[in-house]
Amino acid sequence: MEELNHSRVSEFMLLGLTDSPELQIFFFVVFSLSYLITILGNCLILLTVLSTSYLHSPMYFLLGNLSLIDMCLSSFATPKMIMDFFAQRKTISFEGCISQIFFLHLFTETEIVLLISMSFDRYIAICKPLHYSTIMSRKVCVGLVVTSWTVGFLHTMSQLAFTLYLPFCGPNVVESFFCDLPLVVQLACVDMYVLGIFMISTSGVIALISFLLLLTSYIIVLVTIRDHSSSRSSKALSTCTAHFIVVTMFFGPCIFIYVWPFTNFLVDKILSVIYTIFTPFLNPLIYTLRNQEVKTAVKKKLRLPIFQS
């Protein structure tokens, strides 16, 4: 073990998004504003849900937890990426790199399970409305959130179990703006292609299966909506549409990146930006602008014309 630790590289070089000084300034402004709006927007939703009595329901309890996870997901790498735009050498320590991988998979897997929980909540509310309050009790909601974090943690540890003890003795250039498992594993000084692609693809398969389950549940919900009254159908359709937009934006990049790892396509960087930066950025806008109850509560908090109907 001592010999292996001596051979391990102490830091990794991050290539970032671009080498162009002009684009770096542009990206610095765009991502700085996006990150600020993401944190403020999700904080606003979380505080609104906590402080508004008529939002103390299972759906908004899960929404508040989604906002919390989105703040975490957008913060594990974005602040460093923003600072690195003006750095001559974009480096990260070995421990920092492993930490980024840990938090990325923790928050991503937790959000996957939470989105499934939100879909289950909408399914019960629309397909079994008479049993909704019994099934979606406070105990069940807390259990769903705890399960989300537990599954996220266990999945993350399973992904890191073999990574921590790999020998990294030579190449140390990560072709992205943060450390991710497919990019780091291929830098190991041993042939990890078969085992690495198996371990990493499991994340993609989990994301794909979860997306198909969510898609099936939304189809069932939409079929059920047709038998309801027009006003109720309109509200349910609006909520489900917002959920499905979030699901598609989040799962699409995850499935592409992890089902086919080691591709090194430029599109991987773009997809990484989408699900780690822009999806958390857009979630508050999607849920606020498409949900009348949240929009009304936020309007009362802020008293801004932008939230007027």
Short mmCIF file of all heavy atoms in Angstrom, two decimals, residues 231-261:
data_model
loop_
_atom_site.label_atom_id
_atom_site.label_comp_id
_atom_site.label_asym_id
_atom_site.label_seq_id
_atom_site.Cartn_x
_atom_site.Cartn_y
_atom_site.Cartn_z
N SER A 231 -61.07 21.33 -15.54
CA SER A 231 -60.24 22.17 -14.68
C SER A 231 -59.18 21.35 -13.96
O SER A 231 -58.02 21.74 -13.87
CB SER A 231 -61.12 22.91 -13.66
OG SER A 231 -61.82 21.96 -12.85
N ARG A 232 -59.61 20.21 -13.44
CA ARG A 232 -58.66 19.35 -12.74
C ARG A 232 -57.63 18.77 -13.72
O ARG A 232 -56.47 18.62 -13.40
CB ARG A 232 -59.40 18.22 -12.03
CG ARG A 232 -58.49 17.36 -11.18
CD ARG A 232 -59.29 16.31 -10.41
NE ARG A 232 -58.43 15.49 -9.60
CZ ARG A 232 -58.86 14.49 -8.85
NH1 ARG A 232 -60.17 14.22 -8.83
NH2 ARG A 232 -58.03 13.78 -8.14
N SER A 233 -58.10 18.42 -14.93
CA SER A 233 -57.20 17.88 -15.94
C SER A 233 -56.14 18.89 -16.33
O SER A 233 -54.97 18.56 -16.52
CB SER A 233 -57.99 17.44 -17.18
OG SER A 233 -58.89 16.41 -16.86
N SER A 234 -56.56 20.15 -16.45
CA SER A 234 -55.63 21.20 -16.84
C SER A 234 -54.53 21.38 -15.80
O SER A 234 -53.35 21.50 -16.13
CB SER A 234 -56.39 22.52 -17.03
OG SER A 234 -55.49 23.57 -17.34
N LYS A 235 -54.92 21.38 -14.52
CA LYS A 235 -53.94 21.53 -13.44
C LYS A 235 -53.00 20.33 -13.39
O LYS A 235 -51.78 20.48 -13.25
CB LYS A 235 -54.66 21.69 -12.10
CG LYS A 235 -53.71 21.87 -10.92
CD LYS A 235 -54.49 22.02 -9.62
CE LYS A 235 -53.55 22.15 -8.42
NZ LYS A 235 -54.30 22.29 -7.15
N ALA A 236 -53.55 19.13 -13.49
CA ALA A 236 -52.73 17.92 -13.45
C ALA A 236 -51.80 17.86 -14.65
O ALA A 236 -50.63 17.47 -14.52
CB ALA A 236 -53.64 16.69 -13.42
N LEU A 237 -52.30 18.23 -15.83
CA LEU A 237 -51.47 18.21 -17.03
C LEU A 237 -50.32 19.20 -16.91
O LEU A 237 -49.19 18.91 -17.31
CB LEU A 237 -52.33 18.55 -18.25
CG LEU A 237 -51.60 18.54 -19.60
CD1 LEU A 237 -51.04 17.15 -19.89
CD2 LEU A 237 -52.55 18.97 -20.72
N SER A 238 -50.60 20.38 -16.34
CA SER A 238 -49.55 21.39 -16.15
C SER A 238 -48.46 20.87 -15.21
O SER A 238 -47.27 21.03 -15.48
CB SER A 238 -50.16 22.68 -15.59
OG SER A 238 -49.15 23.63 -15.33
N THR A 239 -48.88 20.25 -14.11
CA THR A 239 -47.91 19.71 -13.15
C THR A 239 -47.08 18.60 -13.77
O THR A 239 -45.85 18.57 -13.63
CB THR A 239 -48.64 19.17 -11.90
OG1 THR A 239 -49.39 20.22 -11.31
CG2 THR A 239 -47.64 18.64 -10.89
N CYS A 240 -47.74 17.67 -14.46
CA CYS A 240 -47.02 16.54 -15.07
C CYS A 240 -46.09 17.01 -16.18
O CYS A 240 -45.01 16.45 -16.36
CB CYS A 240 -48.03 15.52 -15.61
SG CYS A 240 -48.91 14.61 -14.32
N THR A 241 -46.52 18.02 -16.93
CA THR A 241 -45.66 18.56 -17.98
C THR A 241 -44.39 19.14 -17.40
O THR A 241 -43.28 18.92 -17.92
CB THR A 241 -46.41 19.63 -18.79
OG1 THR A 241 -47.59 19.07 -19.36
CG2 THR A 241 -45.52 20.18 -19.90
N ALA A 242 -44.53 19.89 -16.31
CA ALA A 242 -43.36 20.46 -15.64
C ALA A 242 -42.42 19.37 -15.15
O ALA A 242 -41.20 19.44 -15.33
CB ALA A 242 -43.80 21.34 -14.46
N HIS A 243 -42.99 18.34 -14.54
CA HIS A 243 -42.18 17.22 -14.06
C HIS A 243 -41.45 16.54 -15.21
O HIS A 243 -40.27 16.22 -15.11
CB HIS A 243 -43.06 16.20 -13.35
CG HIS A 243 -43.48 16.62 -11.98
ND1 HIS A 243 -43.91 15.74 -11.01
CD2 HIS A 243 -43.54 17.85 -11.39
CE1 HIS A 243 -44.21 16.39 -9.90
NE2 HIS A 243 -44.01 17.67 -10.12
N PHE A 244 -42.16 16.32 -16.32
CA PHE A 244 -41.55 15.59 -17.43
C PHE A 244 -40.45 16.39 -18.11
O PHE A 244 -39.46 15.82 -18.58
CB PHE A 244 -42.62 15.20 -18.46
CG PHE A 244 -42.13 14.21 -19.48
CD1 PHE A 244 -41.89 12.90 -19.12
CD2 PHE A 244 -41.89 14.60 -20.78
CE1 PHE A 244 -41.43 11.97 -20.04
CE2 PHE A 244 -41.43 13.70 -21.71
CZ PHE A 244 -41.20 12.37 -21.35
N ILE A 245 -40.60 17.70 -18.17
CA ILE A 245 -39.53 18.55 -18.72
C ILE A 245 -38.26 18.39 -17.89
O ILE A 245 -37.16 18.22 -18.43
CB ILE A 245 -39.98 20.02 -18.76
CG1 ILE A 245 -41.08 20.22 -19.80
CG2 ILE A 245 -38.79 20.93 -19.08
CD1 ILE A 245 -41.68 21.61 -19.79
N VAL A 246 -38.42 18.44 -16.56
CA VAL A 246 -37.29 18.28 -15.66
C VAL A 246 -36.65 16.91 -15.84
O VAL A 246 -35.42 16.77 -15.93
CB VAL A 246 -37.73 18.49 -14.20
CG1 VAL A 246 -36.60 18.10 -13.24
CG2 VAL A 246 -38.15 19.93 -13.96
N VAL A 247 -37.50 15.88 -15.89
CA VAL A 247 -37.01 14.50 -16.03
C VAL A 247 -36.21 14.32 -17.31
O VAL A 247 -35.12 13.73 -17.32
CB VAL A 247 -38.19 13.51 -15.98
CG1 VAL A 247 -37.77 12.13 -16.46
CG2 VAL A 247 -38.74 13.41 -14.56
N THR A 248 -36.73 14.84 -18.41
CA THR A 248 -36.06 14.68 -19.70
C THR A 248 -34.72 15.41 -19.73
O THR A 248 -33.71 14.86 -20.20
CB THR A 248 -36.96 15.20 -20.84
OG1 THR A 248 -38.21 14.51 -20.81
CG2 THR A 248 -36.30 14.98 -22.19
N MET A 249 -34.69 16.63 -19.23
CA MET A 249 -33.45 17.41 -19.23
C MET A 249 -32.40 16.78 -18.33
O MET A 249 -31.20 16.88 -18.60
CB MET A 249 -33.74 18.84 -18.76
CG MET A 249 -34.53 19.67 -19.74
SD MET A 249 -34.79 21.34 -19.11
CE MET A 249 -33.10 21.87 -18.87
N PHE A 250 -32.83 16.14 -17.26
CA PHE A 250 -31.89 15.55 -16.32
C PHE A 250 -31.40 14.18 -16.79
O PHE A 250 -30.21 13.89 -16.77
CB PHE A 250 -32.53 15.44 -14.94
CG PHE A 250 -31.63 14.86 -13.89
CD1 PHE A 250 -30.63 15.62 -13.31
CD2 PHE A 250 -31.76 13.54 -13.48
CE1 PHE A 250 -29.78 15.09 -12.35
CE2 PHE A 250 -30.93 13.00 -12.51
CZ PHE A 250 -29.94 13.78 -11.95
N PHE A 251 -32.32 13.33 -17.22
CA PHE A 251 -31.97 11.96 -17.55
C PHE A 251 -31.28 11.84 -18.90
O PHE A 251 -30.41 10.97 -19.08
CB PHE A 251 -33.21 11.07 -17.53
CG PHE A 251 -33.61 10.61 -16.18
CD1 PHE A 251 -34.49 11.34 -15.40
CD2 PHE A 251 -33.10 9.44 -15.64
CE1 PHE A 251 -34.86 10.92 -14.14
CE2 PHE A 251 -33.47 9.00 -14.38
CZ PHE A 251 -34.34 9.75 -13.63
N GLY A 252 -31.66 12.68 -19.88
CA GLY A 252 -31.08 12.58 -21.21
C GLY A 252 -29.55 12.60 -21.20
O GLY A 252 -28.90 11.66 -21.69
N PRO A 253 -28.93 13.66 -20.65
CA PRO A 253 -27.47 13.70 -20.60
C PRO A 253 -26.86 12.56 -19.79
O PRO A 253 -25.82 12.01 -20.17
CB PRO A 253 -27.18 15.06 -19.95
CG PRO A 253 -28.38 15.89 -20.23
CD PRO A 253 -29.53 14.93 -20.20
N CYS A 254 -27.47 12.21 -18.66
CA CYS A 254 -26.93 11.13 -17.81
C CYS A 254 -26.89 9.82 -18.58
O CYS A 254 -25.89 9.08 -18.52
CB CYS A 254 -27.78 10.97 -16.55
SG CYS A 254 -27.65 12.32 -15.37
N ILE A 255 -27.96 9.51 -19.28
CA ILE A 255 -28.02 8.26 -20.04
C ILE A 255 -26.95 8.24 -21.12
O ILE A 255 -26.23 7.24 -21.28
CB ILE A 255 -29.43 8.07 -20.65
CG1 ILE A 255 -30.45 7.85 -19.54
CG2 ILE A 255 -29.43 6.90 -21.63
CD1 ILE A 255 -31.89 7.86 -20.03
N PHE A 256 -26.82 9.34 -21.86
CA PHE A 256 -25.86 9.38 -22.96
C PHE A 256 -24.43 9.25 -22.45
O PHE A 256 -23.61 8.49 -23.00
CB PHE A 256 -26.01 10.69 -23.74
CG PHE A 256 -25.15 10.74 -24.99
CD1 PHE A 256 -25.65 10.29 -26.19
CD2 PHE A 256 -23.85 11.22 -24.94
CE1 PHE A 256 -24.86 10.32 -27.34
CE2 PHE A 256 -23.06 11.26 -26.08
CZ PHE A 256 -23.57 10.81 -27.27
N ILE A 257 -24.08 9.96 -21.38
CA ILE A 257 -22.71 9.98 -20.87
C ILE A 257 -22.31 8.65 -20.27
O ILE A 257 -21.19 8.16 -20.49
CB ILE A 257 -22.54 11.12 -19.84
CG1 ILE A 257 -22.62 12.48 -20.54
CG2 ILE A 257 -21.20 10.98 -19.11
CD1 ILE A 257 -22.61 13.65 -19.58
N TYR A 258 -23.22 8.02 -19.51
CA TYR A 258 -22.83 6.84 -18.74
C TYR A 258 -23.15 5.51 -19.42
O TYR A 258 -22.54 4.49 -19.08
CB TYR A 258 -23.48 6.89 -17.35
CG TYR A 258 -22.93 8.00 -16.51
CD1 TYR A 258 -23.66 9.15 -16.27
CD2 TYR A 258 -21.65 7.93 -15.98
CE1 TYR A 258 -23.15 10.19 -15.51
CE2 TYR A 258 -21.12 8.96 -15.22
CZ TYR A 258 -21.88 10.08 -14.99
OH TYR A 258 -21.35 11.11 -14.25
N VAL A 259 -24.08 5.49 -20.36
CA VAL A 259 -24.32 4.24 -21.09
C VAL A 259 -23.18 3.99 -22.07
O VAL A 259 -22.79 2.85 -22.31
CB VAL A 259 -25.67 4.29 -21.83
CG1 VAL A 259 -25.81 3.10 -22.79
CG2 VAL A 259 -26.82 4.26 -20.82
N TRP A 260 -22.61 5.07 -22.64
CA TRP A 260 -21.49 4.95 -23.56
C TRP A 260 -20.29 5.74 -23.03
O TRP A 260 -19.96 6.81 -23.54
CB TRP A 260 -21.87 5.46 -24.95
CG TRP A 260 -22.97 4.70 -25.58
CD1 TRP A 260 -22.89 3.50 -26.19
CD2 TRP A 260 -24.35 5.10 -25.67
NE1 TRP A 260 -24.12 3.11 -26.65
CE2 TRP A 260 -25.03 4.06 -26.35
CE3 TRP A 260 -25.07 6.22 -25.24
CZ2 TRP A 260 -26.40 4.12 -26.61
CZ3 TRP A 260 -26.42 6.28 -25.49
CH2 TRP A 260 -27.09 5.23 -26.17
N PRO A 261 -19.62 5.23 -21.99
CA PRO A 261 -18.47 5.96 -21.43
C PRO A 261 -17.24 5.85 -22.33
O PRO A 261 -17.22 5.06 -23.28
CB PRO A 261 -18.22 5.25 -20.09
CG PRO A 261 -18.73 3.87 -20.31
CD PRO A 261 -19.90 4.00 -21.24
#
